[in-house]
Every structure is written in C-alpha cells, then in structure tokens.
Amino acid sequence: MSCFGRTSDLAVLLIWGVFEAASSCMNGNQMAQNGSWPLPEVSTPVSVQMGTKALLCCPAILVTKALLITWEIAPRDQPPCRISYRAETRETNETNCTDRRITWASTPDQSPNLQINAVALDHDGNYSCVMAGPSGNFQVKYDLQVLVPPEVALSRGKNRTAVCEATAGKPAAQIFWTPDGHHVTKNEPHSNGTVTVRSTYYWEQNNVSSVFCFVSHSTGNQTLSVQLNRGQNVNGQDQKLLQLLKRMICSLTQAIRRRAIHSMIL
C-alpha cells in the first residue's frame, strides 16, 4: 500500500501525519510496586495531543482488593490536588481539586482510572495512583506531556528568500529544506511552553524554481512548497525532488508508527 495518493498541485502540498490519542489506558511501561512507604520516585512519560481525551490507569490489580485508592495530581506551576476513594465506606473525597475536566473514568468501585476530558496545556504535569490493600501498596506514576500541533506556513520573502514558520508548537518543531541549501533557523519560546520556529531559506541560482519545507513534529508531519521563479513551469527536477521528499516522509511516518506500536506493546 502506498503512503500517498495522487498529488495534482505542486504549488501547495500538505501532508499531515495524524496523531491519535489513545482510547485505552495510557500505560506505557507501567510499574506497580508492592511494599511499604516510601514508594520509589519513578514516572512513566506519556504524551497526549491538546484537545483530545486522556485515560490514566491505576496499577493492574483487582479493584475489589483495594482498601484505599488515591490519585495525586500535580500540574506544573499549579497547586496539587488529591482525589481518593475508601472502599469500606464507599466514600470519595477531593482536596484542593477545582478542574472539573479531571474525573474518575467511572465509579471508583468499578474502575479506579482517571480521565482528563479535552486535555489542555495546563494539564501538563505529574499524576500518580496509589492502591492500598492487605498485601501492600501499589503505585504507578505518570509524567504527562501535552503536545500542541504547530500552525505551519510557507511564503516568499524578500531578497531571494523563502520563509517557513511552525507557530506555537509543543515541543518545538524541526524544519528541513529541499533542495538542500543555506538557511537560518531560529526558535522563539512563549510563556505557555509552546515554541515558534522560523526558518529562512536563501537561494542564489536561477535554476531553482521551487523549494519544499518539511516540518517534523510529534503530532504529525507537514510538507509545503512554494514556486520561487514565477512564470516557470514545474520541471522534471522539481518532480524528482517531490518524489524524493514523499519517500522520505513515508519512511519517517512508518518509523513513527513502529515506535508507537512498540511502546504500546511494552
């Protein structure tokens, strides 16, 4: 199966690698520790795209065996909060929790997992679940990283330049050019943790009729092109560059999918 369908317009080419949020528990390399306090400070990094839903799992033990279930929620640069469920009295309790987007995925006696609806930048932070039972305490910790897809644009600049921008992405996007040539790339960090990347491409030869900007990001890849010398038709060299770039994007996309599947298996 090919990675791309037929492309009829070279002037504007957009290829978007879709990032799908997990609909099941974002276990990663889940760790459950049996023993007494203090439990080890080991966190599993998980990433989720802004605007999607996240489901964080407690340790994989029977919920009927748990006497007390506690979620510690510590978003970055915000006061921590705690939600808990005591099985003996079937009581739930919240301490300093005001974000209604963070809830139990179900009733805690059925499922102790935590759900975040419409993930936002302020959900970036640390989350931990502790399940206490007769055989000990079991814990899993997450370092939740919120991903923000950048807004991508490519335009002709002044003095024989082309400017490619990936605005307000998290983490910072990477920008590559085809054909390879002199370019200057600068990063502009923002107060909310996103980064704008701006790359300026310079060309000197008149036989360069089009350039391609490839933007690589955790949420997906985009490729745009701009015609430099207006009035010229797309030549065979441009077609070769386009095909080369499409094969490169195809290989990168397949590699990202393999890594994602490997992480899910682990």
Side-chain angles (χ1 to χ4, degrees):
M1 180 180 293
S2 63
C3 292
F4 305 102
R6 183 177 178 181
T7 303
S8 58
D9 187 0
L10 179 63
V12 179
L13 170 65
L14 176 64
I15 302 170
W16 179 254
V18 177
F19 178 91
E20 294 184 0
S23 57
S24 58
C25 285
M26 305 180 70
N27 288 18
N29 297 319
Q30 178 171 300
M31 297 186 64
Q33 297 291 340
N34 181 5
S36 59
W37 301 96
L39 295 177
E41 297 293 323
V42 178
S43 294
T44 297
V46 294
S47 299
V48 61
Q49 185 168 321
M50 186 174 69
T52 60
K53 182 183 296 185
L55 186 63
L56 302 177
C57 289
C58 282
I61 66 171
L62 290 175
V63 68
T64 54
K65 300 292 185 180
L67 302 177
L68 178 65
I69 302 167
T70 303
W71 274 100
E72 297 279 356
I73 303 166
R76 305 192 212 287
D77 303 321
Q78 295 184 59
C81 87
R82 174 187 294 180
I83 62 175
S84 61
Y85 170 74
R86 188 173 296 276
E88 183 180 7
T89 59
R90 296 187 176 181
E91 273 187 326
T92 58
N93 185 56
E94 295 186 3
T95 304
N96 201 34
C97 298
T98 59
D99 192 336
R100 296 299 97 189
R101 294 167 296 180
I102 302 177
T103 63
W104 297 100
S106 180
T107 56
D109 59 326
Q110 297 294 323
S111 171
N113 301 328
L114 191 73
Q115 180 171 288
I116 306 175
N117 295 291
V119 171
L121 273 173
D122 55 3
H123 290 135
D124 218 83
N126 297 301
Y127 298 75
S128 66
C129 175
V130 178
M131 298 180 72
S135 57
N137 300 315
F138 296 80
Q139 181 186 48
V140 62
K141 301 189 70 175
Y142 299 95
D143 179 6
L144 183 66
Q145 301 170 22
V146 179
L147 306 178
V148 182
E151 293 288 336
V152 176
L154 174 63
S155 61
R156 290 168 54 94
K158 297 180 180 179
N159 301 322
R160 301 172 69 86
T161 62
V163 180
C164 186
E165 286 187 321
T167 304
K170 183 175 179 290
Q174 292 180 292
I175 295 178
F176 306 92
W177 291 94
T178 298
D180 191 23
H182 177 60
H183 60 274
V184 176
T185 301
K186 296 181 179 180
N187 289 5
E188 179 188 350
H190 304 293
S191 58
N192 62 358
T194 62
V195 180
T196 292
V197 182
R198 182 178 296 104
S199 184
T200 303
Y201 179 92
Y202 300 85
W203 79 94
E204 298 177 355
Q205 299 178 356
N206 290 328
N207 61 353
V208 178
S209 60
S210 299
V211 294
F212 300 87
C213 166
F214 171 56
V215 180
S216 175
H217 192 260
S218 305
T219 59
N221 304 318
Q222 296 190 52
T223 299
L224 293 87
S225 73
V226 63
Q227 190 170 317
L228 302 179
N229 299 322
R230 294 174 180 171
Q232 290 188 3
N233 294 325
V234 175
N235 56 34
Q237 184 66 21
D238 288 330
Q239 293 289 359
K240 290 179 181 179
L241 288 173
L242 177 58
Q243 294 302 319
L244 175 63
L245 195 57
K246 289 169 69 175
R247 287 197 296 269
M248 181 178 69
I249 297 170
C250 181
S251 299
L252 285 171
T253 303
Q254 291 173 345
I256 292 171
R257 288 174 179 171
R258 286 195 296 268
R259 286 197 298 270
I261 292 172
H262 180 70
S263 298
M264 291 175 65
I265 293 174
L266 293 178

